Amino acid sequence: MKVMQRNLVVGLRRALFGSCVALGASGTAWAQATPEGEQQATNLDTITVTAQSRQQELQDVPIALQVVDQQLLDDVAAENLGDIDAFVPGLVVDAAQPTQPSFRLRGVETSDFGIGTDPAVGIFVDGVYGGRGGGVLLPFLDVERIEVLKGPQGTLFGRNTAAGAISLVTRRPQDETEARLRLRLGNYGKQYVDAMWNIPVSDVSAFRVNALFNHSDGWFQDGATGKDLGGENVWAARAAWQLRIGDNTTALLSWDHESLDQNGRVTTGIVPLPAYPQRPPVPVDPDDYFDPRKVPTYSDAENAEWRTFDGVTLIFDHAFSWGNLTSTSSWREYDSLNQTEEDGTNRADLYIDSVNTESNETFYQELKFAGSNARLDWVAGASFFKEDARQTSEVNTNTEAVDNIVRNLGIAPTPDGSLFGFTSLLAQMNGIPVSLVGDRWNERFNNTLSTTAYAAFGDVIWRATDRLNLTFGLRYTRDEKDFTWLNTPRNAPELEAKLALLESLGFFAALGQLGIPISRETLTFDMAFIDPPAIVNKGVLVRDKRSWSDVSPRFVVDYHLDDNTMVFGSLAKGYKAGGFNALQIGPAFENEDVWNLEAGIKQSFGRFAWNASLFHYRYDNRQSVRLIDPDPNNPVDIPRFVFDTGDLEATGLDVDLRWKVTDAFTLDAQAEWIDSKYKDYITPEGVDLDGEPTGEPRFTASFGAAYQVDLAGRGELRFSARHAYRGRSRCNAGSDLQGDCGVNALLDIGEARDRTDLRIGWTAPQGHWSWAIYGNNVFDNQYVKGLNTYGRGPLGLVGATITEPRTYGMEVAVKF
């Protein structure tokens, strides 16, 4: 496999640079050969979407909706959903860890990577619910378009779409032979190859195969060893077979596979470190933090992130005389591991890492009926969802680091404040060659989840007049969850063996006779890195089983003022199932409810179209799991993950436009203004944030421009530029405590962000060859994404993560 990949990369590299040289040597002038009357441009292309479970023209859908097409994906060299969020105002995708991504839409997200809760933004691929976050951030394979539906979509898309839904639509097999091969090479060792082959098997069936390989070295290097940190390493494949059975039935069978095996998330330490064996002072003074963009990154761990994913989907479509039946069956399975060094140093006496492993299997079945006549357009159906998941959350450290924690907590009754170091010294002074310093130390939480969800839904559009449409939708959902916690005792086999040896030699008995308060029991304890209160349940399996039911309605009225203008109003409810805090034994979440009131306008004039939507929502019982200092007045305590809920509300405005200025020149823009505030919310630290901003910036926007140049029979050049802006986060007292905003003069977390992407591409006259050069974040703007405070209390350590620097590359593609 590796030999094939290497040969493919070498061959396409030659083709890439050969094409560039040939074009440059042709001596072709970049004549703009503008056809006569170009200023009288043709109309905008029609965009068809399935946002309402029906095929409709975008301008006729009374939903705030942004479509990301293949052209935009190419313009920004997008490889997964994390590459497009900057260009969809209101959408934020944290893709730093593909196995633990998070999605936020219109200021609503679920801050939890545990299997006890569900995401607030639903991800769907060809109508199939993607499930948990660890299995939804997959590489793009033959994606035709992405529909981002803003606001709750509980009626049409179901559970866990309280904030909205992202629907990926892939290309189906076609009845003509088609193939494509593309290579992308860039800085930081970027090598990306994807291929597609569409093969008609007969007059009634076709086969379509896709594959990709993606590798990069990463843009971090270890400050001590020079080793690459971060990077990408993934390959994926997709196969689809479509069969027409008679005149009325179509079957589509698809299989998706991904294998990801790469370095984990990189954390840069920002606390000044004294020389070993001295320790950083606690509590940490934020004014002393370094800027992570200007200091080396050090690591002494094999950060790792891997995932294997497989999914099979079978879709049957059958046309009756009265309408259509669609049956969608899907099975998905993935296993993942995410190991991240938390200390941001290369010192063993300060070492701490976290490991999250998950195994997940889901089955989804939906039956959907649809029909229409002169007055009614209706959809109805039922669905079943089953999920079984296992998760292990671990913390790894060593006894030398535990000794430093004990010193900082001041709990050891020894002269130097340590336990294992002082005990080792006493043993060696008495001729016992045993050292308890540096032995591995592991603590873990084990969770299991079994979920069953049922739903029945219906949605009817009544064409009351030629201009007035009334829509009513309703979905009933029932969720049942069975959840377990198991907090195991510490796992330190080397240490336990040494303690047993010392006890057998009578060492601890002798210390007792001398009045030294150290015994085997003193050295057998748990730090409870994950959840200190769970110590009382060590080794005890705890189970909880709960169910939630919901009815989610949707009311819409839309009126066509004329052939070009539609106004609409809607009231819709979104629902997210209740759940459990995987990292704190006992707490359970109630279900989330979002009510959204919206009014909008959609207008098009041939070459120009614009849409605007004014919304207000109330979000009750927002679910969250947060890492906090248990006592803000005692900052050296061990932080823990706590159950956190609250309410919020927001008012906002979404606007987007497309303008085909000429046949060669197009513009587009999207923007969102939002005022998001907490309502009836007190943080776990006791801070009252009622009426305070939630952190969501007021304004985000993106702008795009493209210009196409005809090379007089020698192909076309296309220039594209895209700029994204995200406003400054609106901080509050709670976010200051969490390190999400401000911090100090160097670390202005939450500052406004800008990103600019450029691309120049050439396409041969028949479209068989193309090449391009591209640059993402061309002005090299890097921002501090957030702080890693897991080690702040016990070890006096803080790390930071930063956004990507400028990347650039060249691309060549051949297709026929």
Side-chain angles (χ1 to χ4, degrees):
M1 182 66 181
K2 291 183 177 179
V3 173
M4 292 176 61
Q5 291 170 349
R6 184 166 58 251
N7 291 340
L8 184 58
V9 169
V10 170
L12 280 174
R13 183 186 284 114
R14 292 172 179 168
L16 171 66
F17 290 103
S19 298
C20 297
V21 171
L23 183 63
S26 68
T28 301
W30 289 7
Q32 296 186 14
T34 304
E36 284 188 29
E38 183 187 53
Q39 298 304 317
Q40 301 300 316
T42 54
N43 292 342
L44 288 167
D45 293 334
T46 298
I47 300 176
T48 301
V49 298
T50 52
Q52 295 194 114
S53 294
R54 311 159 172 89
Q55 287 198 348
Q56 295 174 289
E57 204 274 315
L58 173 65
Q59 294 299 108
D60 291 332
V61 178
I63 295 175
L65 169 68
Q66 182 174 339
V67 175
V68 177
D69 59 13
Q70 182 62 56
Q71 188 63 71
L72 191 152
L73 298 180
D74 290 342
D75 284 349
V76 301
E79 295 165 3
N80 60 49
L81 288 171
D83 296 326
I84 67 166
D85 64 336
F87 306 100
V88 182
L91 175 66
V92 177
V93 180
D94 185 348
Q97 301 177 90
T99 61
Q100 292 180 192
S102 66
F103 298 83
R104 181 161 78 249
L105 195 55
R106 283 186 173 176
V108 176
E109 71 173 328
T110 299
S111 300
D112 185 11
F113 60 86
I115 62 173
T117 58
D118 295 296
V121 179
I123 312 297
F124 298 82
V125 180
D126 293 331
V128 176
Y129 176 58
R132 193 162 311 288
V136 298
L137 191 69
L138 299 171
F140 290 149
L141 270 174
D142 216 17
V143 173
E144 178 180 320
R145 70 180 184 275
I146 302 168
E147 301 175 12
V148 181
L149 288 71
K150 300 181 180 182
Q153 305 296 324
T155 300
L156 291 170
F157 284 85
R159 62 198 296 271
N160 305 330
T161 56
I166 301 175
S167 176
L168 288 79
V169 180
T170 64
R171 290 183 176 83
R172 288 197 170 197
Q174 304 297 310
D175 57 5
E176 294 183 359
T177 300
E178 180 185 5
R180 183 191 70 247
L181 182 64
R182 175 171 57 178
L183 169 68
R184 187 178 295 152
L185 301 173
N187 59 336
Y188 302 113
K190 182 70 172 183
Q191 298 177 18
Y192 177 94
V193 182
D194 69 37
M196 181 277 297
W197 190 14
N198 188 92
I199 317 157
V201 179
S202 67
D203 291 340
V204 295
S205 68
F207 191 63
R208 193 175 182 95
V209 183
N210 291 267
L212 70 79
F213 166 73
N214 183 20
H215 171 83
S216 69
D217 296 334
W219 38 274
F220 285 98
Q221 284 76 41
D222 189 282
T225 66
K227 178 183 177 181
D228 290 325
L229 303 174
E232 304 163 292
N233 192 56
V234 60
W235 71 270
R238 175 179 173 83
W241 179 56
Q242 183 163 279
L243 172 68
R244 292 196 306 274
I245 306 171
D247 295 332
N248 300 321
T249 306
T250 301
L252 174 68
L253 178 65
S254 62
W255 166 75
D256 293 271
H257 175 80
E258 183 223 33
S259 177
L260 180 148
D261 188 359
Q262 61 192 37
N263 292 329
R265 185 197 69 194
V266 178
T267 297
T268 301
I270 59 174
V271 173
L273 292 181
Y276 177 84
Q278 298 180 68
R279 310 183 308 279
V282 292
V284 181
D285 186 350
D287 290 333
D288 293 334
Y289 291 166
F290 294 135
D291 186 336
R293 294 161 292 192
K294 298 180 180 179
V295 296
T297 299
Y298 297 99
S299 175
D300 56 358
E302 290 297 328
N303 284 4
E305 188 168 16
W306 62 259
R307 175 177 59 204
T308 56
F309 172 91
D310 285 282
V312 178
T313 301
L314 177 63
I315 301 175
F316 273 104
D317 290 296
H318 181 76
F320 294 96
S321 58
W322 48 263
N324 294 280
L325 166 65
T326 301
S327 170
T328 302
S329 308
S330 175
W331 169 85
R332 297 162 65 94
E333 180 183 57
Y334 71 85
D335 296 286
S336 66
L337 176 142
N338 186 305
Q339 179 179 8
T340 303
E341 184 180 10
E342 304 286 354
D343 59 277
T345 76
N346 58 355
R347 283 184 37 176
D349 64 315
L350 301 174
Y351 181 81
I352 185 169
D353 76 35
S354 63
V355 182
N356 183 75
T357 59
E358 183 179 349
S359 295
N360 188 290
E361 182 177 8
T362 63
F363 174 76
Y364 179 76
Q365 174 64 53
E366 180 186 75
L367 293 175
K368 183 170 65 177
F369 303 87
S372 63
N373 55 38
R375 287 297 181 188
L376 297 178
D377 188 323
W378 58 272
V379 175
S383 66
F384 171 80
F385 177 79
K386 175 67 174 174
E387 176 184 21
D388 290 296
R390 290 182 172 272
Q391 181 180 42
T392 300
S393 302
E394 304 176 61
V395 171
N396 292 295
T397 184
N398 59 65
T399 52
E400 187 174 15
V402 170
D403 260 352
N404 280 330
I405 294 172
V406 168
R407 288 189 180 100
N408 290 334
L409 294 174
I411 61 175
T414 60
D416 67 351
S418 71
L419 287 175
F420 301 105
F422 185 71
T423 303
S424 300
L425 177 63
L426 292 178
Q428 293 164 11
M429 289 175 62
N430 286 274
I432 304 175
V434 170
S435 174
L436 307 180
V437 177
D439 289 331
R440 182 173 66 91
W441 183 293
N442 169 275
E443 295 185 17
R444 67 180 63 189
F445 247 77
N446 296 321
N447 303 112
T448 66
L449 169 72
S450 178
T451 297
T452 304
Y454 314 86
F457 60 93
D459 193 79
V460 180
I461 302 175
W462 175 36
R463 303 183 184 94
T465 70
D466 291 342
R467 295 184 179 275
L468 176 65
N469 297 319
L470 301 176
T471 302
F472 174 71
L474 192 69
R475 179 184 290 256
Y476 169 78
T477 306
R478 179 173 176 82
D479 285 280
E480 299 173 352
K481 292 187 178 183
D482 190 338
F483 194 79
T484 67
W485 299 264
L486 177 61
N487 186 205
T488 61
R490 77 171 186 205
N491 179 27
E494 298 88 354
L495 174 62
E496 302 297 350
K498 293 175 182 178
L499 293 179
L501 173 62
L502 290 175
E503 187 173 48
S504 69
L505 295 174
F507 175 74
F508 293 118
L511 292 182
Q513 292 176 5
L514 296 172
I516 300 175
I518 294 179
S519 64
R520 184 173 182 180
E521 288 73 22
T522 305
L523 301 176
T524 304
F525 62 94
D526 294 274
M527 290 303 300
F529 285 102
I530 301 175
D531 181 28
I535 288 179
V536 299
N537 292 294
K538 281 289 182 180
V540 178
L541 181 69
V542 181
R543 165 166 276 143
D544 196 355
K545 185 175 183 180
R546 303 198 182 195
S547 61
W548 301 267
S549 298
D550 176 77
V551 176
S552 297
R554 180 173 87 115
F555 308 93
V556 185
V557 55
D558 66 83
Y559 186 78
H560 291 256
L561 300 175
D562 52 43
D563 291 341
N564 302 317
T565 307
M566 178 185 75
V567 293
F568 68 90
S570 68
L571 176 65
K573 182 186 178 185
Y575 160 76
K576 197 181 91 168
F580 307 90
N581 179 357
L583 302 177
Q584 187 181 22
I585 293 176
F589 298 105
E590 291 304 316
N591 56 281
E592 295 181 356
D593 293 328
V594 179
W595 281 97
N596 185 76
L597 181 65
E598 196 142 352
I601 181 171
K602 295 197 171 189
Q603 198 167 40
S604 60
F605 301 101
R607 293 186 290 120
F608 180 82
W610 75 285
N611 307 310
S613 181
L614 179 66
F615 63 88
H616 176 83
Y617 67 75
R618 169 68 187 260
Y619 185 11
D620 293 328
N621 198 35
R622 174 193 56 88
Q623 303 173 4
S624 180
V625 172
R626 288 177 45 199
L627 182 69
I628 71 161
D629 293 326
D631 182 0
N633 297 317
N634 184 10
V636 298
D637 277 355
I638 295 176
R640 60 187 174 96
F641 293 92
V642 299
F643 173 89
D644 181 27
T645 61
D647 302 335
L648 59 89
E649 60 182 358
T651 300
L653 176 68
D654 276 300
V655 179
D656 68 87
L657 64 87
R658 294 181 295 141
W659 184 17
K660 194 167 187 177
V661 184
T662 70
D663 281 342
F665 184 39
T666 58
L667 295 171
D668 65 84
Q670 303 80 31
E672 180 176 283
W673 177 90
I674 187 171
D675 180 18
S676 177
K677 296 180 180 180
Y678 287 113
K679 187 176 182 63
D680 303 324
Y681 176 52
I682 297 177
T683 74
E685 298 94 344
V687 180
D688 187 349
L689 295 182
D690 191 13
E692 293 294 312
T694 64
E696 193 69 11
R698 285 192 184 276
F699 184 71
T700 55
S702 68
F703 311 92
Y707 191 75
Q708 199 161 288
V709 180
D710 187 349
L711 298 179
R714 287 188 169 86
E716 294 178 336
L717 276 179
R718 185 176 182 276
F719 301 84
S720 72
R722 292 198 168 271
H723 181 79
Y725 171 80
R726 180 171 176 81
R728 184 179 185 82
S729 297
R730 300 174 63 202
C731 302
N732 57 54
S735 57
D736 289 343
L737 278 177
Q738 286 294 304
D740 295 334
C741 282
V743 181
N744 66 17
L746 291 176
L747 302 183
D748 187 10
I749 299 177
E751 66 180 309
R753 299 183 184 183
D754 289 277
R755 169 179 163 177
T756 303
D757 290 7
L758 301 175
R759 180 183 174 95
I760 303 174
W762 171 79
T763 304
Q766 302 302 317
H768 296 313
W769 279 93
S770 64
W771 65 259
I773 57 176
Y774 68 90
N776 295 339
N777 187 22
V778 294
F779 296 110
D780 202 23
N781 294 317
Q782 283 189 280
Y783 305 97
V784 181
K785 295 174 65 175
L787 299 186
N788 176 4
T789 60
Y790 195 82
R792 177 172 60 187
L795 285 170
L797 300 174
V798 176
T801 55
I802 56 179
T803 60
E804 292 188 12
R806 174 175 48 238
T807 58
Y808 53 85
M810 302 182 70
E811 179 181 293
V812 63
V814 56
K815 64 179 181 179
F816 60 87

